[in-house]
Amino acid sequence: MARNVTLGELIDDVRAEAGHSLQASLGVAMRDVLIKALQRQQRRLWEDHDWKFLRVHRDVVLSAGQRYYNIPSDLTLERIEKVEFKYGNRWVPVEYGIGQPQLDQYDSDRDIRALPIQRWQEYENDQYEIWPISSQDGTATPPNNVLRIWGIRKLRPLVAESDRADLDDTLLVLFTAAEILAREKGADAGLKLKMAEKHLVTLKGRTSKRDVFTLTGEPQAVMPQGPKIIAVQTQ
């Protein structure tokens, strides 16, 4: 029971669980099928559950006058959990959604800029918009005028024999073996599926007993100490 197990090891373990030959020469035709099944099972489990060990944050240094930014390459919009902004000496929450009330205050279409950043929302082509547009450039070290994006990172590729899985090997092997056996109408397909589901419950139970890093929280009651709000109009 471990993470970061290679694809080659996973294939051998699935073959063993499904009762297939472990000699590669006798199962070449099944290799691609097993790889696709392992990829599919890992993807499904990644989408269905919030795995804490895959939770990361990515910092984006803002540029004065820039309205749209690319979503970090190893995150997806759907798995973003929280956005914060470094304002003065505090990280403050950035709420989702930019509408007419916001634009009435600081009109991004007219390039009106201000601090702090208060809102964000998705944009086209894997980008997101911030509001208001920043009036100052940021710095990475120390972080200042920086947007911090929290989320569950994407899965690493699982294609080559040496590629390593992000999720638990036993979990992937049992679910994949159950899928293969069901296709083959194997008598123990149901047993493997029950074992996989039980192992999933065990893993999730162990995770829930640990100290949970909560990404949600009550809004700040007062504006933290930091620079005064600055708004500028460039036109």
Side-chain angles (χ1 to χ4, degrees):
M1 185 172 65
R3 301 194 297 272
N4 296 313
V5 173
T6 66
L7 177 59
E9 293 175 283
L10 291 173
I11 291 173
D12 286 345
D13 289 346
V14 171
R15 282 174 167 164
E17 287 289 342
H20 293 178
S21 172
L22 296 182
Q23 298 183 36
S25 60
L26 299 179
V28 174
M30 278 293 295
R31 183 180 181 279
D32 288 343
V33 173
L34 295 179
I35 291 175
K36 290 296 184 182
L38 283 163
Q39 292 170 339
R40 182 168 54 254
Q41 290 295 344
Q42 180 169 243
R43 179 73 184 185
R44 178 184 66 81
L45 290 163
W46 177 85
E47 291 177 341
D48 289 349
H49 305 280
D50 292 330
W51 302 101
K52 290 202 305 180
F53 53 83
L54 295 180
R55 183 171 289 133
V56 297
H57 68 74
R58 300 291 180 251
D59 288 350
V60 180
V61 179
L62 302 187
S63 299
Q66 186 170 340
R67 182 176 180 179
Y68 305 105
Y69 293 82
N70 294 326
I71 294 174
S73 60
D74 60 349
L75 291 175
T76 64
L77 176 69
E78 294 77 13
R79 303 309 297 272
I80 291 176
E81 298 179 332
K82 180 182 181 180
V83 178
E84 298 174 308
F85 177 67
K86 186 64 179 294
Y87 183 74
N89 60 359
R90 295 280 298 277
W91 289 97
V92 296
V94 179
E95 302 297 328
Y96 183 84
I98 301 172
Q100 196 59 48
Q102 286 75 45
L103 297 179
D104 286 343
Q105 183 179 5
Y106 300 121
D107 190 348
S108 298
D109 293 333
R110 296 171 57 202
D111 196 26
I112 296 180
R113 310 173 186 182
L115 285 174
I117 305 304
Q118 302 175 47
R119 296 263 180 166
W120 77 282
Q121 72 176 16
E122 65 181 287
Y123 191 64
E124 58 188 19
N125 299 323
D126 290 326
Q127 290 189 313
Y128 60 92
E129 176 183 357
I130 62 170
W131 176 89
I133 299 171
S134 178
S135 58
Q136 298 177 4
D137 289 330
T139 58
T141 307
N144 181 48
N145 200 10
V146 167
L147 210 65
R148 176 163 289 179
I149 303 174
W150 293 88
I152 303 298
R153 71 164 172 80
K154 294 179 181 178
L155 295 170
R156 295 174 295 183
L158 194 62
V159 179
E161 291 273 345
S162 59
D163 288 344
R164 297 181 180 273
D166 283 304
L167 301 187
D168 180 82
D169 62 336
T170 302
L171 192 67
L172 296 176
V173 167
L174 288 174
F175 271 116
T176 304
E179 177 184 338
I180 298 300
L181 287 168
R183 291 183 186 179
E184 299 172 348
K185 301 191 183 303
D188 54 349
L191 174 62
K192 297 297 182 184
L193 181 58
K194 288 182 180 179
M195 291 171 62
E197 292 172 340
K198 180 179 179 181
H199 189 60
L200 175 60
V201 171
T202 299
L203 289 177
K204 298 301 289 183
R206 288 175 181 170
T207 300
S208 66
K209 291 177 183 177
R210 299 171 188 162
D211 292 334
V212 178
F213 176 46
T214 304
L215 293 181
T216 58
E218 296 298 325
Q220 297 288 337
V222 296
M223 179 64 70
Q225 294 182 353
K228 294 181 179 180
I229 294 177
I230 304 172
V232 298
Q233 182 174 351
T234 60
Q235 296 181 359

